[in-house]
């Protein structure tokens, strides 16, 4: 078998029997999912390949129906299509239904099934980082797409969640919607400001950054004011993975708190999608190595 070496390992030939999956988004060229999944397929010797598929917002329906017609095994769905694909699905997982967003599609016979692996990926990553979220008291900063998955995940394991967001109405709406999906869960919504951060920081066990504050290239930004002490007993989980250590994580560590970045969530949402498509256990270490090779030490 002819192989060509690349930065992420050998490339196997595409055969008539190769199974194809890919990611639809706009843009998709910066996605680390193709190298992450292709490394995983190679590691297990699976005749699969994963391709980037740039899809303009107006063409999402054509793209998903076309992917089914072309015999693709599945898709990842990224920004800005996670909500738009909703109307095309024959069936939804409970998490995808509750959150109103799909990040993974499987094609089974003629049916289009939607999943949200961000939820399970987040929980797996948090536990792998050494924090058990069951019944904890959590502060989620942000109320966008990533926060939806995180808040739902925490609510599903009995955490008490305060959502703090710059636009209060969005946090209120998120708390209201997810309370309907998880009636037992305890969600509250507040504006993201010093007064509310201060009020919660005394008793909180988990702080999650689900805003882009601190993401490259704005690496000096943070949702936590520099002058405000970070609670030393809390665990800081920043969804950002570029850079690998954010300003918020530095702040938390300087206060003696434990902190983790978002690479684990990226890898574990990918691992769950991989498992949905192939039925094989994902080689998580290989996927970490592939992402690290692409992201470098940024
Ligand atoms: P999004 O849907 O655009 O939501 C962004 C959120 O951040 C909103 O709540 C927004 O508040 C808030 N925000 C934005 N700029 C802000 C500012 N200057 N000050 C205060 N709040 C601000 O984005 P997303 O998809 O949820 O992504 C959020 C972060 O999570 C990004 O850094 C992304 O890279 C990361 N992420 C990581 C993973 C992973 O696997 N690790 C997965 C998904 C996302 P408003 O409502 O007021 O606009």
């Amino acid at each position: 078998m002819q192989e060509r070496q690349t930065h992420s390992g050998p490339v196997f030939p595409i055969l008539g029997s190769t199974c194809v999956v890919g990611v639809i988004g706009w843009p998709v060229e910066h996605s680390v999912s193709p190298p992450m999944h292709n490394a995983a397929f190679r590691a297990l010797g699976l005749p699969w390949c994963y391709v980037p598929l740039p899809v303009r917002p107006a063409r999402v329906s054509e793209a998903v129906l076309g992917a089914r017609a072309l015999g693709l095994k599945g898709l990842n769905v990224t920004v800005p299509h996670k909500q738009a694909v909703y109307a095309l699905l024959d069936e939804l997982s409970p998490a995808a239904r509750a959150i109103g967003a799909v990040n993974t599609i499987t094609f089974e016979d003629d049916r289009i099934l939607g999943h949200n692996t961000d939820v399970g990926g987040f929980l797996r990553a948090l536990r792998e980082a050494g924090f058990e979220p069951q019944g904890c008291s959590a502060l989620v900063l942000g109320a966008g797409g990533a926060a939806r998955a995180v808040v739902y995940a925490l609510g599903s394991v009995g955490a008490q969640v305060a959502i703090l967001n710059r636009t209060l109405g969005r946090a209120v709406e998120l708390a209201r919607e997810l309370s309907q999906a998880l009636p037992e869960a305890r969600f509250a919504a507040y504006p993201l400001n010093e007064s509310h951060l201060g009020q919660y920081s005394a008793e909180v066990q988990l702080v999650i950054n689900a805003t882009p504050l601190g993401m490259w290239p704005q690496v000096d930004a943070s949702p936590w004011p520099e002058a405000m002490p970070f609670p030393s007993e809390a665990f800081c989980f920043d969804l950002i993975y570029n850079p690998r250590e954010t300003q918020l994580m530095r702040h938390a560590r300087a206060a003696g708190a434990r902190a983790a970045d978002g690479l684990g969530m990226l890898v574990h949402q990918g691992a769950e999608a991989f498992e949905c498509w192939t039925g094989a256990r994902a080689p998580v270490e290989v996927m970490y190595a592939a992402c690290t090779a692409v992201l470098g030490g940024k």
Side-chain angles (χ1 to χ4, degrees):
M1 188 177 282
Q2 284 287 311
E3 288 181 4
R4 184 165 59 83
Q5 291 299 130
T6 68
H7 69 283
S8 54
V11 174
F12 287 93
I14 305 291
L15 303 172
S17 55
T18 300
C19 298
V20 181
V21 287
V23 55
I24 58 166
W26 186 261
V28 287
E29 63 258 35
H30 300 298
S31 172
V32 295
S33 292
M36 175 172 76
H37 282 284
N38 286 321
F41 294 144
R42 278 194 299 272
L44 299 192
L46 295 176
W48 285 62
C49 80
Y50 186 111
V51 289
L53 300 165
V55 173
R56 289 178 189 278
R59 310 206 75 163
V60 176
S61 313
E62 277 175 84
V64 173
L65 300 179
R68 177 177 64 175
L70 289 166
L72 268 69
K73 297 293 180 196
L75 292 171
N76 274 143
V77 182
T78 189
V79 178
H81 304 320
K82 287 186 179 187
Q83 271 127 15
V85 296
Y86 215 68
L88 304 166
L89 304 170
D90 295 306
E91 211 175 293
L92 284 163
S93 70
R97 183 184 303 280
I99 293 166
V102 162
N103 78 335
T104 301
I105 285 174
T106 48
F107 297 110
E108 289 178 21
D109 302 322
D110 218 25
R111 293 168 61 70
I112 308 178
L113 314 183
H115 315 262
N116 193 305
T117 68
D118 284 335
V119 173
F122 164 73
L123 289 175
R124 285 195 203 183
L126 194 55
R127 288 179 171 134
E128 184 184 70
F131 185 86
E132 174 49 59
Q134 188 89 37
C136 78
S137 154
L139 211 50
V140 175
L141 313 180
R148 292 181 85 79
V150 164
V151 172
Y152 177 84
L154 291 171
S156 70
V157 297
Q160 184 177 335
V161 187
I163 308 162
L164 272 57
N165 196 45
R166 178 178 62 178
T167 308
L168 175 61
R170 217 171 161 196
V172 170
E173 186 54 21
L174 179 55
R176 191 191 62 76
E177 274 180 42
L178 294 186
S179 297
Q180 285 173 356
L182 296 169
E184 306 289 305
R186 291 161 298 166
F187 301 129
Y190 303 99
L192 175 54
N193 58 32
E194 274 195 47
S195 144
H196 285 98
L197 284 172
Q199 191 176 324
Y200 274 91
S201 54
E203 65 219 45
V204 76
Q205 294 162 302
L206 176 64
V207 175
I208 293 165
N209 179 27
T211 78
L213 291 169
M215 190 166 71
W216 191 86
Q218 265 87 45
V219 294
D220 294 328
S222 170
W224 201 279
E226 196 57 43
M228 174 174 287
F230 191 91
S232 60
E233 299 301 314
F235 189 98
C236 170
F237 194 90
D238 200 325
L239 300 195
I240 292 171
Y241 49 81
N242 183 9
R244 297 294 315 275
E245 187 182 55
T246 61
Q247 181 62 30
L248 173 65
M249 289 167 64
R250 274 194 294 280
H251 192 161
R253 284 173 175 154
R258 291 180 299 152
D261 74 335
L263 186 62
M265 177 171 168
L266 176 74
V267 166
H268 284 287
Q269 65 74 32
E272 262 199 24
F274 182 98
E275 290 165 6
C276 274
W277 296 323
T278 66
R281 195 176 174 80
V284 168
E285 291 310 320
V286 169
M287 295 167 88
Y288 266 112
C291 290
T292 307
V294 174
L295 295 168
K298 284 191 278 187

